[in-house]
Amino acid sequence: VGAMPFDALERERQACTEASAENDPIRTGTLAKRVASRTISWQQRHVTLTATNLSISLEEGGDRRDRVDIMDITEVTSGEDFMRHEQLDRVSSDTKMKALRKNTLSQHSFRQILSNMGGGLNQPLDGVSVVSTASPKGHAGEIQTLEFTNSFRIFLEEFNRNYFFRADSAEECHAWIADILQAQEHRRE
């Protein structure tokens, strides 16, 4: 059997290098994953991001429990932003709330609408705003905000599936979001 030509060897080496790079971790760590069964809880999971997927296991080095292809991800957002929009959607579907979401109402007008509806704004609009749809004495919105602090949401539209992960800090959360978006961008190229 004769030797392989140099360019064939080079193509084979290149293919092996690219395949290896696709499996190299971009980011890895332990995050809390929101798990819904009979109850909803946050459970520690080891998460690994590569150029092609996000793998989830119960512990580092453990069997993979779930795998998300990077290109199946439709949306990546902070958990706080997602919950703020969900709460706004629940407050009212009238045209005044639709106008608010398009930033055409002032903060004063928004506060007045909420006051008339029996809800309240727990934080200023320019930060992470939480609209409480509970009674004015209730704290449901505040509790939900705390639950989603330092979290991010991955949405897979094709499967109508949400994944929520919570990091130890805002910086870590933003780093995960940025790395996932960058991995998607590289795959599109």
Side-chain angles (χ1 to χ4, degrees):
V1 177
M4 290 180 89
F6 176 75
D7 54 330
L9 283 171
E10 183 59 26
R11 279 194 307 272
E12 186 175 316
R13 186 193 64 74
Q14 178 86 16
C16 289
T17 301
E18 289 174 7
S20 174
E22 285 183 0
N23 295 319
D24 289 344
I26 295 170
R27 178 171 291 278
T28 185
T30 301
L31 299 171
K33 180 179 180 282
R34 192 168 191 253
V35 178
S37 55
R38 285 185 289 150
T39 61
I40 295 174
S41 62
W42 290 86
Q43 299 176 6
Q44 297 295 312
R45 296 289 188 260
H46 186 76
V47 182
T48 301
L49 173 65
T50 67
T52 58
N53 63 63
L54 188 75
S55 296
I56 305 160
S57 56
L58 293 178
E59 58 193 18
E60 187 173 1
D63 292 337
R64 184 173 62 203
R65 303 284 296 207
D66 205 350
R67 184 186 145 289
V68 176
D69 186 298
I70 290 296
M71 298 313 291
D72 287 341
I73 297 173
T74 310
E75 185 177 0
V76 180
T77 57
S78 77
E80 293 100 333
D81 286 347
F82 174 73
M83 291 312 301
R84 182 178 62 231
H85 291 292
E86 283 293 299
Q87 290 169 341
L88 282 173
D89 288 344
R90 288 184 204 138
V91 170
S92 172
S93 62
D94 75 17
T95 56
K96 290 182 182 179
M97 291 309 294
K98 289 178 185 174
L100 166 71
R101 292 180 70 201
K102 293 180 182 176
N103 297 320
T104 58
L105 291 179
S106 67
Q107 285 189 17
H108 175 74
S109 299
F110 180 55
R111 290 178 197 285
Q112 188 62 43
I113 292 167
L114 288 176
S115 176
N116 292 342
M117 297 173 71
L121 188 65
N122 300 325
Q123 297 177 12
L125 278 176
D126 54 336
V128 175
S129 304
V130 177
V131 177
S132 174
T133 56
S135 68
K137 295 178 186 174
H139 300 286
E142 293 170 12
I143 291 169
Q144 227 170 16
T145 299
L146 291 174
E147 179 182 4
F148 288 95
T149 299
N150 299 333
S151 71
F152 61 97
R153 168 188 169 251
I154 296 173
F155 179 63
L156 285 69
E157 185 174 27
E158 181 179 351
F159 306 105
N160 195 28
R161 174 114 192 246
N162 284 305
Y163 289 85
F164 287 94
F165 295 96
R166 187 169 54 205
D168 289 332
S169 68
E171 294 79 19
E172 182 184 12
C173 177
H174 295 300
W176 275 98
I177 293 170
D179 287 345
I180 292 167
L181 293 173
Q182 187 174 26
Q184 276 190 315
E185 190 61 34
H186 285 2
R187 282 282 303 274
R188 285 188 189 107
E189 293 175 352

